[in-house]
Amino acid sequence: MYVRLFAASWLLFCAVLAVLAWGFQAPFAYDPVGPRAYPLLLLSLMAAGSLWLLFKPGLLEQKFNTRAAVRATLCVLTLLAYALLFEVLGFVISTALAAFALGLLFTGRLIPCAISGVLMGVLLYGLFDYLLDVPLPLGLFGAFVES
């Protein structure tokens, strides 16, 4: 029951955000599809997932899993912290910390999660900044790069 209630509310949330995203306009044409394509694509995928959860058969027979709910809550809190610290700490450090925390959350071991978190932060920064020319915030990492 809780899953269907969540799915219905998330579907409504996606619809409200889609109405807001439909009005996105760029002051200049920098992309042939415009700035609304990416948010609308993500919202349509989330809405499809919500519809699947809403009409999935056998959902009422499932029991509430407290451990999975705690893990999902911690995952959402980790991603919220990532979004809030993205500008302050910069892309590399915030991505490394988020990847480390999510790795531990999904039963990873300490050392491999730390190594993969650092590698993910540095390599994704190199991919976005040098290959794709996407400017990313440097935050605390900027002191090491600019000197």
Side-chain angles (χ1 to χ4, degrees):
M1 181 175 106
Y2 293 110
V3 175
R4 290 199 175 160
L5 182 63
F6 171 76
S9 62
W10 194 258
L11 186 62
L12 180 64
F13 183 66
C14 287
V16 169
L17 287 180
V19 169
L20 291 173
W22 192 260
F24 287 173
Q25 297 292 331
F28 54 90
Y30 66 94
D31 191 6
V33 294
R36 72 175 93 158
Y38 186 69
L40 288 176
L41 175 67
L42 288 179
L43 288 167
S44 64
L45 290 174
M46 286 191 293
S50 296
L51 283 172
W52 180 76
L53 283 175
L54 199 57
F55 297 112
K56 179 181 171 186
L59 200 58
L60 294 176
E61 291 82 29
Q62 291 181 350
K63 301 287 185 208
F64 183 72
N65 188 349
T66 307
R67 188 173 188 182
V70 169
R71 185 177 288 176
T73 303
L74 288 174
C75 182
V76 169
L77 290 176
T78 301
L79 293 174
L80 180 65
Y82 177 64
L84 293 174
L85 296 174
F86 189 74
E87 291 280 335
V88 177
L89 296 179
F91 179 82
V92 175
I93 296 173
S94 61
T95 301
L97 289 174
F100 173 70
L102 289 172
L104 289 179
L105 188 61
F106 289 100
T107 66
R109 294 185 316 222
L110 188 67
I111 301 298
C113 287
I115 292 171
S116 64
V118 170
L119 283 175
M120 186 175 290
V122 171
L123 293 176
L124 283 176
Y125 179 80
L127 171 74
F128 281 111
D129 192 50
Y130 298 118
L131 292 178
L132 299 174
D133 287 330
V134 176
L136 295 171
L138 292 174
L140 298 176
F141 188 66
F144 301 112
V145 174
E146 293 173 0
S147 12

